[in-house]
Amino acid sequence: MTVVARHCFSLVFSCVFFHATAADLTPETAALLNTLKTIRGKHILVGHQDATAYGIDWSGEPNKSDMKSTSGAYPAVYGWDVGHLELGKAANLDNVPFDLMRTRIVEAYQRGGINTVSWHLDNPVNGRSAWDTTRNTVRQILPGGEHHETYRGYLAKLADFFKSLETEDGTAVPLVFRPFHEHTGSWFWWGAAFCTPAEYIALWRYTVDYLRTDRGLENLLIAYSSSTIDTKEGYLERYPGDEYVDILGFDDYCMGDEASYVNRMSASLNILTAIAKEKDKVPAITETGYEQIPNTKWFTEVLYPTITEYPVVWVLFWRNAINRPNHYYIPYPSHPAAEDFREFHRLPKILFGDGATPLDIYRTAPIDIP
Ligand code: BMA
């Protein structure tokens, strides 16, 4: 083979190879991934679940967010959950109408925010909740399984919703899809005790292939997020492969014992960021918080010092439930931790929506952040 022929062969080979392994992404989605990679170690974006759908004492009002009421700024990252979409219901499991969610997702994108979507989907085998762990569900919904068609029907509704997330000019809104989360724990039907690593990986790949290949969605980045990380091996035991994951994360909460939270977070962050570096993935704290924030200095004195030295690109706080008065993670304006939250907002490395927008999250040209 001549040098030229060899060169041509390798070009053709690498194109074929590239197509078989790398996802096709819209320019905005590719830009988002590029931005996230660029800000590793430089900034930490702050997120809130259901930020603009409801909060303490309000629901569905436009241009509102508890985070904004307290700090003056929208979040940089918006978390959503599409549980119950699979059933064809009009609202999700926390009563957020999907039509409202669509509007809020597009708005968040248009103000330069990042949308990340989890899925507390009901158990396809018996129609009970995501927390129903009675039926070894995963193997029954894989191709060939007795309940596969039900699961495929769920996925079809999910893909339809994702496809509907576009701006008026038809631009698909980039999303970070975070399916089957906290799978190293055993409280959801996809949890560690209820399927083998091979079954979990097969479900993951089937799901992502369906969305990206069968339905042609090019606006999805994929986040893999476990519960607390104890070991590298434990974290990677059910890892579906580099082609199936863009963002690596974990969920952990402060439950009262702050010292133990700090220890767990540090241990998880050490392992997470080492793996992300090795694989050139994007590390993030995909869920955390301290319910009711009983420590008025928690954001600046507990959370910030624990996470700031790690190159995580975002930290997402869980929801401020409207119908569960004790279930909230962002202080409302008169809350004793509100001033501390405002101080957290002012820390240079920490970016809310007002700091993230100048970064131009979706800019397609390379960005250079000082
Ligand atoms: C949990 C709680 C539940 C909620 C679920 C899904 O952590 O907030 O009230 O239904 O998440 O959002």
Side-chain angles (χ1 to χ4, degrees):
M1 218 188 303
T2 64
V3 173
V4 174
R6 251 204 331 264
H7 181 65
C8 285
F9 175 78
S10 73
L11 252 183
V12 170
F13 179 77
S14 60
C15 286
V16 170
F17 188 68
F18 179 78
H19 262 283
T21 58
D24 288 324
L25 300 176
T26 65
E28 295 76 16
T29 312
L32 170 60
L33 182 59
N34 178 55
T35 304
L36 292 173
K37 288 191 169 184
T38 309
I39 67 173
R40 282 175 296 195
K42 296 179 177 133
H43 295 296
I44 301 176
L45 307 177
V46 177
H48 190 203
Q49 185 73 3
D50 288 342
T52 45
Y54 58 80
I56 309 275
D57 290 338
W58 65 275
S59 175
E61 292 169 36
N63 306 318
K64 206 166 155 80
S65 134
D66 281 354
M67 203 137 151
K68 183 164 148 259
S69 304
T70 299
S71 73
Y74 283 108
V77 178
Y78 297 73
W80 307 100
D81 195 279
V82 288
H84 290 183
L85 182 72
E86 71 281 0
L87 308 176
K89 293 204 173 166
N92 84 347
L93 77 167
D94 300 319
N95 302 316
V96 181
F98 288 111
D99 284 343
L100 180 78
M101 194 186 291
R102 179 184 302 107
T103 304
R104 295 292 183 258
I105 286 177
V106 175
E107 285 170 0
Y109 167 68
Q110 287 176 325
R111 64 170 80 95
I114 299 173
N115 289 290
T116 174
V117 178
S118 54
W119 193 17
H120 284 82
L121 72 163
D122 275 7
N123 187 330
V125 167
N126 58 11
R128 296 202 186 149
S129 79
W131 291 267
D132 177 85
T133 56
T134 58
R135 298 290 295 273
N136 292 321
T137 294
V138 175
R139 70 178 152 74
Q140 300 181 66
I141 64 170
L142 287 171
E146 211 183 318
H147 295 273
H148 176 62
E149 284 311 315
T150 305
Y151 181 59
R152 205 173 156 87
Y154 284 11
L155 278 181
K157 292 202 175 65
L158 181 72
D160 289 345
F161 182 69
F162 284 173
K163 278 215 182 258
S164 77
L165 301 173
E166 53 178 32
T167 60
E168 270 180 17
D169 70 2
T171 304
V173 174
L175 300 175
V176 176
F177 181 43
R178 188 170 70 95
F180 307 122
H181 64 301
E182 300 175 7
H183 62 288
T184 50
S186 294
W187 42 89
F188 297 125
W189 56 255
W190 55 86
F194 315 111
C195 57
T196 64
E199 287 165 350
Y200 181 83
I201 290 169
L203 178 63
W204 187 286
R205 290 184 178 174
Y206 180 82
T207 301
V208 173
D209 284 341
Y210 174 86
L211 296 170
R212 280 183 167 167
T213 311
D214 295 17
R215 299 297 301 272
L217 287 161
E218 297 182 351
N219 59 332
L220 304 180
L221 299 179
I222 309 292
Y224 171 83
S225 84
S226 67
S227 40
T228 309
I229 308 175
D230 297 319
T231 62
K232 179 180 178 182
E233 294 68 35
Y235 187 76
L236 293 177
E237 188 187 32
R238 287 157 193 256
Y239 182 65
D242 291 345
E243 309 79 46
Y244 287 87
V245 174
D246 303 293
I247 285 123
L248 297 175
F250 71 100
D251 299 354
D252 201 341
Y253 286 85
C254 188
M255 307 284 227
D257 182 346
E258 295 178 15
S260 128
Y261 171 74
V262 167
N263 287 339
R264 285 198 315 276
M265 289 293 280
S266 307
S268 294
L269 285 164
N270 268 321
I271 301 169
L272 178 82
T273 54
I275 299 173
K277 190 168 180 199
E278 206 174 288
K279 294 182 171 297
D280 190 25
K281 298 293 179 191
V282 175
I285 301 170
T286 40
E287 281 184 36
T288 197
Y290 194 3
E291 197 180 46
Q292 298 182 63
I293 323 125
N295 174 351
T296 57
K297 291 280 188 184
W298 187 75
F299 289 99
T300 61
E301 292 186 1
V302 179
L303 180 75
Y304 182 73
T306 306
I307 68 174
T308 186
E309 293 306 322
Y310 294 96
V312 281
V313 297
W314 77 67
V315 52
L316 181 120
F317 299 110
W318 204 242
R319 63 200 198 98
N320 278 13
I322 182 174
N323 50 3
R324 273 174 69 182
N326 296 332
H327 192 52
Y328 63 87
Y329 295 85
I330 296 290
Y332 44 85
S334 60
H335 188 281
E339 183 46 39
D340 186 60
F341 190 66
R342 286 191 281 273
E343 206 178 315
F344 178 65
H345 172 215
R346 290 191 292 267
L347 293 168
K349 195 171 187 181
I350 294 293
L351 294 186
F352 286 35
D354 54 343
T357 308
L359 285 180
D360 219 344
I361 298 273
Y362 301 99
R363 187 161 68 172
T364 43
I367 57 168
D368 181 24
I369 298 162

